[in-house]
Amino acid sequence: MKEIEKIKFICGLTLVSFAILGGLIFYLESFKILKEILNDYDLSYIFRQGSGAGSGASHTPIFLGLCGLAGAYLLASVRPSKTETKIEVSPEQPTSQILK
């Protein structure tokens, strides 16, 4: 594998792992499993109540989705090194037997 292909592979895995880890955290958070594991009692006001009245939705799902898409694109564009196999054809042998 060429050097640029290795870099694309590592970056793609990193971006996809962000999306997978974030999805796992959202899943565990929906069943209140992380409430017992993570201590959220000492958070500041901005994290507990939002940025004020009518605070908007979090941008985290958009970020994780874009990370997943970018990582999948990078992983799909990685070209593994191919080993060439050559088939030698003798003049006496018919080509129909080679293809079987």
Side-chain angles (χ1 to χ4, degrees), residues 9-37:
F9 184 73
I10 291 170
C11 290
L13 280 180
T14 303
L15 289 171
V16 168
S17 67
F18 284 151
I20 291 172
L21 185 63
L24 182 65
I25 289 172
F26 283 143
Y27 179 76
L28 293 175
E29 188 69 30
S30 67
F31 291 109
K32 296 183 173 61
I33 295 172
L34 287 181
K35 196 71 137 171
E36 301 165 0
I37 298 170

Side-chain angles (χ1 to χ4, degrees), residues 83-89 98:
T83 57
E84 294 184 20
T85 57
K86 295 183 179 180
I87 301 174
E88 293 186 19
V89 179
I98 296 172

